[in-house]
Amino acid sequence: MAKGLQGFSWTMLLLFCAIKDFGAWAMHSVVEGPGLGQPGDPALLASGRVKRGWVWNQFFVVEEYTGTEPLYVGKIHSDSDEGDGSIKYTISGEGAGTIFLIDEITGDIHATERLDREQKTFYTLRAQARDRQTDQLLEPESEFIIKVQDINDSEPRFLEGPYIGSVAELSPIGTSVMQVMASDADDPTYGSSARVVYSVLEGEQHFTVDSKTGVIRTAVADLDRETQDRYEVVIRATDMAGQLGGLSGSTTVTIVVTDVNDNPPRFPQKMYQFSIVETAPVGTAIGRVKAEDSDVGENTDMTYQVKDEEGMEMFKVTTDSNTQEAVITVQKPLDYESKKVHTVVVEALNKFVDPRFVDLGTFRDQTIVRVSVLDVDEPPEFHPPSNLMEVQEDAHVGSVVGVVTALDPDTANHPVRYAIDRSTDKERIFDIDANTGAIVTGKVLDRETAGWHNITVLAMEADNHSQVSRASLRIRILDVNDNPPELATPYEAAVCEDAKPGQLIQTISVVDRDEPQSGHRFYFTLAPEATNNHHFSLLDIKDNTAAVHTQRMGFNRQEQDVYLLPILVVDSGPPALSSTGTLTIRVCGCDSDGAIQSCNSTVYVVSATLSPGALIALLVCVLILVVLVLLILTLKRHHKSHLTAEDDEDMRDNVIKYNDEGGGEQDTEAYDMSALRSLYDFSEIKGGDGGGGPGEGVPSGNLTSELHALPQWVQSPDLDFSVFKDYICRKVEQADEDLSVPPYDSFQTYAFEGSNSPVPSLSSINTWSSGSEQDFSYLRGWGPRFRQLAALYAGRRGEGDNEES
């Protein structure tokens, strides 16, 4: 390290001397005019003389100067300066007066601060030369630049870290993993300060790096993820092209080794043992086995299969996609008595095989699974399993239908007992022998009632009734000819009076409830009692039907209107059974076409019927009559109610109802009190005839029209209530005579509240009937709640006094 620093110091010293010499050379160059003219300008050479102007050029200053004295940058000088101090030099611009200072007399410029090229590469300033006495410009102001000279003071840096790359295991040598890049803040155009080279500090046993591009590659071909799945590689970047004295930086690169399917599945054990009871149903899982695979991801996906024929017949292997386990299940029923141990060969193989690694070996493995069948106490088994029996329907009670047999499959071979499930034979038509299993009839059978019987037979161990087996048994009842044939229906036929011989009257068919195996065959003939019949003949058509024909010319229904023809029907047996049926033949009158018109036992058929138009017209007429009747009744009822309303006014129509709530005692606008004060004025009624008595000079029919207002609140000592009596009596009489008027038997009596009431009655009826003067002035003393009432009655009292006076 000491040798490196010493070499760096000598390099900096030589560089500074070269820059200083170059600046001194530049300062003695002549620049014409106010600009920065170049030496050798043709205008200057042709004139043969030199104008006054600045003598200076571009300056350079080294960055990161660490000396104690200000760093000399350069000197500006005007050719008009004679060295007498009459010219004053000044500078302005970036860093003037702070970073850069100038000697006003000599024009020497010094840097007072440490500069960093990585922060600012150059400074632009302007130089002036003034007369010290007059402060006037002697030369035009001119611009110059001070460049900061770079040194190797910045190390390379990896700015994009941290770096993570990946490479597949078993990749060949030189496989590209990833690329790293370092940046150097030094000036790439000056020297080798920014020229970076790469190298591996750690991990060079497995990886290399390209010194110029920074590409990392594998150095070996046997990277194994199962051995080591990641590597930490340290990459170094050095500037100065790796020369002595260059700066360096490093970064750590994480390289993940990805998996390939290079490992076959392997069973941890070469043999597995499981046990299962012999009664396990098909589909029951026996156990699980799993082959291990060192790979990861989809490279561990595998499938399982049974390799031996015996195992394939009895067992089934499926793959659990979530756990990658082999699930062994029962494929056929097991039997301990037949075989106690089963051996199954299970093979595991990878689902996805990489062809690049086939030469590494077979990607499959096998193991042996031994399945032990456990013995259990099983219920008896029926032998043979046939479930169909037959019996003749005429079999006697107790006849044997068949025998069922069941055996205990266990090695103990317990005795078996039999029974019938009575829920399937509620009528107890069959019985079974508990020891032998013989099924016998318990009742008389009838195939026509029930041709099939389905029963369930139970077989159980004699000493353990919980071990029960069930067998469904179908018993077919075989037919015997025990039902005679019968006419299909009670046939009735009709024959015209003018019928001719040989005319077909009726075709007859029969039914038979029996079902012989060879099919039905019926024979038809007239019954013996009809042998003397000369009117009709019977012909057997040989297809289980017969035809009845006329045998004579014409019939007379006046002589005989009904003929009864007995017909004998015989089946084919065995044994042959027969029955006699009667065909009823009626003699009827027919038209010329042979259509029946009437028979003596029926009414004549009226062929002429009403047309649809006539029916509609008849209905319309009936509807019009009904509407007219309803209209007349409605008008009559309305007219009667109108007359009653005009003659007799209902007193209840004058009741005024106030069901809204006012604003209190002070609210005088809520009610129209005149409506209460201007109803029936009985004083006017009484004095209407010039002071006559009630009813004098007033027609009784106009009494209702005269009562048009409530009584005024004016007391009259000589008021007569006979007008009320006459009015009520007339109303009662009218109501009794008119039955269509509802009864209005409601009469309200307003009387004095009682002798102990501190307040006298205010009823208008009582007031008029008393005949004495009342003073309502005391209502003013009842408080504000009765103020409106006091104003009403007291006010009316005052008005009455004024009228009397």
Side-chain angles (χ1 to χ4, degrees):
M1 180 63 71
K3 290 183 180 180
L5 293 176
Q6 184 177 2
F8 176 71
S9 300
W10 278 107
T11 303
M12 293 300 298
L13 180 59
L14 292 175
L15 179 60
F16 176 74
C17 293
I19 293 173
K20 185 175 181 181
D21 294 341
F22 179 75
W25 173 84
M27 285 188 293
H28 288 86
S29 301
V30 179
V31 181
E32 180 185 359
L36 298 176
Q38 297 298 328
D41 192 332
L44 298 178
L45 297 177
S47 64
R49 65 184 180 87
V50 178
K51 286 185 65 177
R52 291 185 302 169
W54 292 104
V55 182
W56 62 287
N57 206 331
Q58 183 170 274
F59 299 124
F60 293 89
V61 61
V62 179
E63 67 169 334
E64 303 295 344
Y65 174 69
T66 58
T68 58
E69 296 295 332
L71 177 61
Y72 179 75
V73 178
K75 181 182 182 68
I76 60 175
H77 182 73
S78 176
D79 57 359
S80 61
D81 188 0
E82 297 179 356
D84 55 0
S86 61
I87 298 178
K88 180 175 68 174
Y89 296 99
T90 60
I91 59 175
S92 63
E94 297 177 334
T98 56
I99 300 176
F100 302 103
L101 299 178
I102 187 172
D103 191 319
E104 296 181 353
I105 299 175
T106 62
D108 293 335
I109 301 174
H110 293 79
T112 61
E113 295 183 6
R114 185 176 178 179
L115 304 180
D116 188 358
R117 191 202 66 83
E118 284 71 33
Q119 294 183 359
K120 191 170 182 63
T121 59
F122 64 90
Y123 296 85
T124 303
L125 297 93
R126 302 186 70 82
Q128 299 174 353
R130 297 179 180 270
D131 186 277
R132 188 176 296 277
Q133 299 297 329
T134 62
D135 200 31
Q136 294 182 354
L137 286 173
L138 300 178
E139 299 289 346
E141 186 178 66
S142 188
E143 185 177 271
F144 67 96
I145 296 175
I146 299 177
K147 285 191 174 182
V148 181
Q149 188 67 43
D150 182 48
I151 64 173
N152 189 18
D153 61 340
S154 298
E155 72 277 2
R157 298 191 180 195
F158 294 91
L159 303 178
E160 298 180 0
Y163 294 93
I164 299 177
S166 62
V167 64
E169 62 176 330
L170 302 180
S171 296
I173 298 175
T175 302
S176 176
V177 179
M178 64 179 305
Q179 183 181 19
V180 296
M181 293 185 66
S183 60
D184 197 318
D186 293 326
D187 188 359
T189 63
Y190 180 77
S192 300
S193 299
R195 185 179 175 187
V196 179
V197 294
Y198 302 93
S199 60
V200 179
L201 282 182
E202 296 180 9
E204 63 275 5
Q205 298 88 352
H206 301 94
F207 300 95
T208 61
V209 64
D210 190 290
S211 61
K212 295 181 179 180
T213 62
V215 175
I216 302 175
R217 301 180 184 275
T218 57
V220 294
D222 58 350
L223 292 177
D224 188 10
R225 188 203 63 81
E226 289 72 31
T227 303
Q228 185 174 352
D229 60 353
R230 65 177 56 225
Y231 294 88
E232 303 290 338
V233 180
V234 179
I235 304 298
R236 178 175 63 184
T238 307
D239 60 10
M240 296 295 292
Q243 296 179 3
L244 185 63
L247 303 179
S248 63
S250 62
T251 186
T252 300
V253 179
T254 302
I255 300 176
V256 178
V257 181
T258 59
D259 184 58
V260 296
N261 194 6
D262 59 336
N263 293 283
R266 290 289 181 265
F267 284 102
Q269 302 174 211
K270 288 302 179 183
M271 178 177 291
Y272 295 87
Q273 291 188 356
F274 297 101
S275 60
I276 188 171
V277 295
E278 61 176 332
T279 56
V282 174
T284 303
I286 299 175
R288 292 171 174 247
V289 296
K290 183 179 181 181
E292 303 294 340
D293 194 328
S294 301
D295 297 322
V296 294
E298 67 175 10
N299 295 325
T300 61
D301 293 347
M302 59 187 70
T303 58
Y304 299 90
Q305 58 186 6
V306 178
K307 294 300 294 181
D308 60 310
E309 294 183 359
E310 178 188 356
M312 292 176 63
E313 181 181 359
M314 300 298 298
F315 303 97
K316 180 181 179 182
V317 176
T318 58
T319 304
D320 189 332
S321 59
N322 296 324
T323 62
Q324 297 300 317
E325 293 178 318
V327 182
I328 305 172
T329 57
V330 178
Q331 186 165 273
K332 281 189 176 182
L334 302 175
D335 186 14
Y336 172 82
E337 288 72 25
S338 300
K339 191 169 186 178
K340 299 178 176 60
V341 178
H342 297 268
T343 301
V344 184
V345 178
V346 179
E347 182 181 64
L349 62 157
N350 279 132
K351 186 181 295 184
F352 307 102
V353 178
D354 195 332
R356 296 176 299 172
F357 309 108
V358 174
D359 56 347
L360 297 179
T362 57
F363 285 81
R364 60 183 64 199
D365 193 21
Q366 293 182 350
T367 188
I368 297 175
V369 178
R370 294 190 62 194
V371 180
S372 299
V373 181
L374 303 179
D375 185 28
V376 295
D377 189 6
E378 298 176 274
E381 295 180 355
F382 286 91
H383 298 282
S386 176
N387 60 351
L388 176 62
M389 293 184 179
E390 296 178 346
V391 61
Q392 296 284 342
E393 66 174 324
D394 59 349
H396 298 288
V397 175
S399 300
V400 177
V401 178
V403 178
V404 294
T405 303
L407 300 176
D408 185 7
D410 298 325
T411 55
N413 195 14
H414 297 97
V416 178
R417 297 293 179 262
Y418 303 94
I420 294 179
D421 186 354
R422 288 305 173 184
S423 62
T424 60
D425 185 25
K426 295 180 180 180
E427 297 180 1
R428 296 182 175 271
I429 299 177
F430 301 96
D431 292 323
I432 189 171
D433 189 292
N435 297 319
T436 63
I439 299 175
V440 297
T441 58
K443 290 184 177 181
V444 176
L445 304 178
D446 184 10
R447 189 204 64 83
E448 288 72 31
T449 303
W452 288 87
H453 294 274
N454 297 319
I455 63 174
T456 300
V457 178
L458 309 179
M460 62 200 78
E461 294 181 4
D463 55 350
N464 185 6
H465 289 182
S466 62
Q467 297 295 331
V468 180
S469 294
R470 298 173 179 269
S472 297
L473 186 62
R474 301 171 67 240
I475 301 176
R476 180 170 63 184
I477 309 301
L478 301 179
D479 183 50
V480 295
N481 192 23
D482 57 348
N483 293 281
E486 300 174 354
L487 295 181
T489 60
Y491 287 103
E492 287 190 6
V495 61
C496 296
E497 288 183 303
D498 55 352
K500 297 178 181 180
Q503 182 176 341
L504 177 64
I505 299 176
Q506 182 69 45
T507 301
I508 297 174
S509 62
V510 297
V511 293
D512 193 335
R513 299 175 61 189
D514 296 323
E515 292 183 359
Q517 296 181 356
S518 58
H520 289 290
R521 178 68 180 93
F522 302 109
Y523 304 95
F524 299 88
T525 183
L526 293 177
E529 59 268 24
T531 53
N532 298 325
N533 171 57
H534 303 289
H535 307 292
F536 305 97
S537 64
L538 180 66
L539 176 63
D540 190 346
I541 308 178
K542 307 299 183 180
D543 61 351
N544 294 335
T545 62
V548 178
H549 297 82
T550 58
Q551 197 173 359
R552 53 174 276 190
M553 173 68 74
F555 295 87
N556 188 352
R557 57 177 171 169
Q558 299 297 331
E559 296 178 357
Q560 185 176 355
D561 59 347
V562 176
Y563 293 90
L564 300 178
L565 185 64
I567 300 174
L568 178 65
V569 183
V570 183
D571 61 15
S572 57
L577 300 179
S578 64
S579 67
T580 301
T582 301
L583 172 63
T584 302
I585 304 174
R586 298 182 183 277
V587 180
C588 302
C590 302
D591 58 10
S592 59
D593 297 329
I596 296 176
Q597 296 296 318
S598 63
C599 298
N600 67 333
S601 61
T602 60
V603 298
Y604 288 97
V605 178
V606 181
S607 60
T609 58
L610 293 177
S611 64
L615 290 176
I616 293 175
L618 181 61
L619 291 176
V620 169
C621 293
V622 173
L623 182 61
I624 291 174
L625 290 175
V626 172
V627 171
L628 289 176
V629 171
L630 292 177
L631 182 60
I632 292 172
L633 293 176
T634 303
L635 292 176
K636 184 178 179 180
R637 184 180 183 88
H638 182 267
H639 181 67
K640 181 182 293 186
S641 62
H642 180 67
L643 293 177
T644 304
E646 289 180 352
D647 295 339
D648 303 313
E649 181 182 0
D650 194 351
M651 288 292 291
R652 294 174 302 169
D653 294 340
N654 295 324
V655 177
I656 299 174
K657 182 179 180 182
Y658 288 87
N659 58 357
D660 57 329
E661 187 174 343
E665 295 296 333
Q666 304 301 326
D667 186 5
T668 60
E669 303 295 334
Y671 304 97
D672 185 7
M673 304 305 295
S674 62
L676 298 176
R677 299 171 182 172
S678 61
L679 296 175
Y680 297 94
D681 192 352
F682 294 99
S683 61
E684 297 178 359
I685 297 174
K686 183 176 181 179
D689 57 347
E696 295 180 5
V698 179
S700 61
N702 298 331
L703 180 60
T704 304
S705 62
E706 295 293 336
L707 301 177
H708 58 82
L710 287 174
Q712 302 292 327
W713 296 105
V714 179
Q715 299 181 3
S716 177
D718 53 353
L719 181 64
D720 189 2
F721 281 93
S722 59
V723 62
F724 287 104
K725 183 176 181 181
D726 296 340
Y727 174 76
I728 293 174
C729 290
R730 284 190 291 105
K731 283 292 185 180
V732 171
E733 292 176 359
Q734 292 177 2
D736 292 340
E737 293 176 357
D738 191 356
L739 300 179
S740 63
V741 177
Y744 293 144
D745 298 339
S746 64
F747 183 73
Q748 300 293 335
T749 302
Y750 297 92
F752 189 70
E753 284 81 353
S755 60
N756 295 329
S757 176
V759 181
S761 175
L762 298 179
S763 172
S764 60
I765 299 177
N766 191 29
T767 300
W768 284 100
S769 64
S770 63
S772 63
E773 292 289 337
Q774 293 190 24
D775 186 8
F776 298 102
S777 60
Y778 61 87
L779 295 177
R780 295 189 179 93
W782 285 9
R785 294 188 177 181
F786 297 91
R787 185 177 302 164
Q788 189 72 20
L789 185 64
L792 175 64
Y793 281 87
R796 301 301 296 178
R797 174 63 179 172
E799 293 176 1
D801 295 342
N802 293 336
E803 291 177 359
E804 292 177 0
S805 61

